[in-house]
Amino acid sequence: MIMAWVLLVIVVGSVLFHVFNPWWVTPLASNWKSMDDTLDITVVITGLFFVAINLFVVYALLRFRHREGGPHAKPEPDNKKLERWLIVGTSVGVAALLAPGLLVYAKYVNEPHDALLLEVMSQQWQWRFRLPGPDGKLGASDPRFISATNPFGLDPDDPRGQDDLLVMGNEVHLPLGKPVVVLLRSNDVLHDFFVPQFRSRMNTVPGQVSRFWFTPEVPGRYEALCAQLCGVGHPDMHGFVVVEDAEHYAAWQQALVSFAVASKPPPAPDVAANPLVETGRQLADAKGCAACHTVDGSPRVGPTWKGLYGKDETMADGSTEKVDETYLRNFILDPQAKKVKGFPPVMPKLPLTDDEISALVAYIQSLGGPPAAGEQKAQR
Ligand code: CUA
């Protein structure tokens, strides 16, 4: 008896929770309303079966519970009529669950011909983006070309790649209302590029180019997530997609650097003074440090490197430590050994040689000390 009432409360509670729960999907900002519709159909069908089956169990528990002189359920091991109805009912239910998804998927793999191309490059734990230049084509790439100055691994001899536009940060812009075909590559492990408001998404798989398409239909700045568990920094692997009108988009694109320009060694005047600094800068780029550490003072996952050297850092336990060469060296060698106050302990242990660590430390030192102790930099 009590089981029947408990089941009834679960059924009614589930339906009420679905109707009133505050955690429904984010507002749609792309052309993929059909994905939401498919989800709705799935919820309705599974919901109807859930309610019907559980109410039947409640009825059976109440009607046929054991009592003196009460009715007995008649066993029917071979009821052809009932079996036919169950087969037809479940077949229709399963077909109704699968068919809408297949129709949407057919559209999903049928890319529009006039679409913009956008390459998304994933790496623990950051996103990079590449757009075709004026020729409208992306140049060939290969992992063996990947280096500090060529993080996308573009073929330096492919003329189609010379004008490709590179976005080194984690934010890309897209024009409103224009279909985009997204090509995805991974530099290390499985990731998944996912902007919830666009609904469409795809895994990035090392060694292959996966793809999907969508049309952004609502202007805004959307957060891109990584939707595959890809290591300790996975929750911090954020990116941003800004959807804006054609004019703003053109202005943003204008400021991007082409591969031909980016792959030339930068004419930095201080390189001659201390080549180690430049090596450190390239290493920081190649190892993905910039995903978590800025050099302009703005906060990210980890402390900014601007003004870090020589600073008194507060640890999670309240103690302070001076950020000097020894501190940085130890931290890079074993990032989990100490916890810095206000920052998640997510820094990965990178396989770096002693010389590489020296270069990184020199680079961090070159970015200056704290304002009050500005005198102590440039001692090398
Ligand atoms: Cu990349 Cu999770």
Side-chain angles (χ1 to χ4, degrees), residues 117-120 138 181-185 209-212:
L117 285 181
L118 167 67
E119 182 183 72
V120 175
L138 287 170
V181 168
V182 185
L183 308 169
L184 304 127
R185 287 197 293 142
V209 178
S210 44
R211 52 204 295 157
F212 72 90

Side-chain angles (χ1 to χ4, degrees), residues 11 19 134 147 158 275 277 318 342 348:
V11 170
V19 174
S147 69
D158 186 348
V277 170

Side-chain angles (χ1 to χ4, degrees), residues 125 190-191 226-230 234 237:
W125 289 280
L190 207 60
H191 304 270
C226 176
Q228 282 291 355
L229 188 57
C230 56
H234 160 73
M237 192 165 164

Side-chain angles (χ1 to χ4, degrees), residues 113-124:
H113 296 293
D114 60 336
L116 208 87
L117 285 181
L118 167 67
E119 182 183 72
V120 175
M121 177 85 162
S122 61
Q123 178 180 329
Q124 284 171 328

Side-chain angles (χ1 to χ4, degrees), residues 3-304:
M3 273 313 294
W5 295 119
V6 169
L7 259 187
L8 195 63
V9 168
I10 290 177
V11 170
V12 173
S14 302
V15 173
L16 287 179
F17 180 80
H18 174 76
V19 174
F20 291 109
N21 94 70
W23 308 299
W24 201 219
V25 285
T26 46
L28 178 71
S30 82
N31 59 314
W32 287 115
K33 183 174 181 303
S34 46
M35 292 205 186
D36 285 0
D37 295 342
T38 310
L39 190 66
D40 287 342
I41 293 171
T42 306
V43 168
V44 167
I45 292 173
T46 52
L48 284 178
F49 273 83
F50 170 78
V51 170
I53 289 169
N54 280 293
L55 287 186
F56 174 74
V57 174
V58 170
Y59 164 77
L61 282 171
L62 290 175
R63 178 92 173 81
F64 300 106
R65 71 184 187 279
H66 179 73
R67 68 202 139 157
E68 284 302 318
H72 281 265
K74 191 155 49 79
E76 288 197 48
D78 201 21
N79 186 332
K80 285 274 183 317
K81 198 176 153 201
L82 182 63
E83 281 168 14
R84 264 198 295 275
W85 272 111
L86 286 178
I87 289 171
V88 170
T90 39
S91 303
V92 169
V94 170
L97 282 175
L98 291 180
L102 289 175
L103 293 178
V104 175
Y105 195 71
K107 277 196 270 174
Y108 201 45
V109 293
N110 185 16
E111 296 165 356
H113 296 293
D114 60 336
L116 208 87
L117 285 181
L118 167 67
E119 182 183 72
V120 175
M121 177 85 162
S122 61
Q123 178 180 329
Q124 284 171 328
W125 289 280
Q126 58 180 313
W127 303 102
R128 287 192 176 100
F129 306 93
R130 176 165 67 120
L131 296 156
D135 67 354
K137 296 190 183 102
L138 287 170
S141 63
D142 193 290
R144 69 199 154 95
F145 296 124
I146 290 177
S147 69
T149 49
N150 186 3
F152 288 84
L154 300 194
D155 183 345
D157 297 327
D158 186 348
R160 293 170 307 167
Q162 299 303 318
D163 64 346
D164 286 4
L165 301 169
L166 309 181
V167 185
M168 295 301 188
N170 66 348
E171 181 175 301
V172 70
H173 292 217
L174 290 174
L176 184 67
K178 187 142 173 54
V180 188
V181 168
V182 185
L183 308 169
L184 304 127
R185 287 197 293 142
S186 174
N187 208 354
D188 38 40
V189 300
L190 207 60
H191 304 270
D192 189 303
F193 188 72
F194 179 38
V195 177
Q197 287 87 345
F198 298 157
R199 303 300 191 265
S200 49
R201 61 197 275 186
M202 193 59 78
N203 277 1
T204 73
V205 186
Q208 77 177 51
V209 178
S210 44
R211 52 204 295 157
F212 72 90
W213 77 274
F214 71 102
T215 307
E217 292 188 339
V218 182
R221 185 170 189 259
Y222 303 100
E223 190 169 13
L225 312 168
C226 176
Q228 282 291 355
L229 188 57
C230 56
V232 68
H234 160 73
D236 300 302
M237 192 165 164
H238 302 285
F240 291 93
V241 180
V242 174
V243 176
E244 59 196 1
D245 55 51
E247 198 184 320
H248 284 93
Y249 173 72
W252 171 80
Q253 209 193 41
Q254 204 78 58
L256 293 178
V257 180
S258 72
F259 172 61
V261 173
S263 56
K264 282 207 195 79
D270 60 336
V271 170
N274 190 352
L276 212 52
V277 170
E278 177 55 18
T279 312
R281 194 191 61 76
Q282 292 183 3
L283 262 174
D285 219 28
K287 300 288 179 186
C289 308
C292 301
H293 303 281
T294 66
V295 294
D296 62 2
S298 59
R300 216 176 262 178
V301 180
T304 181

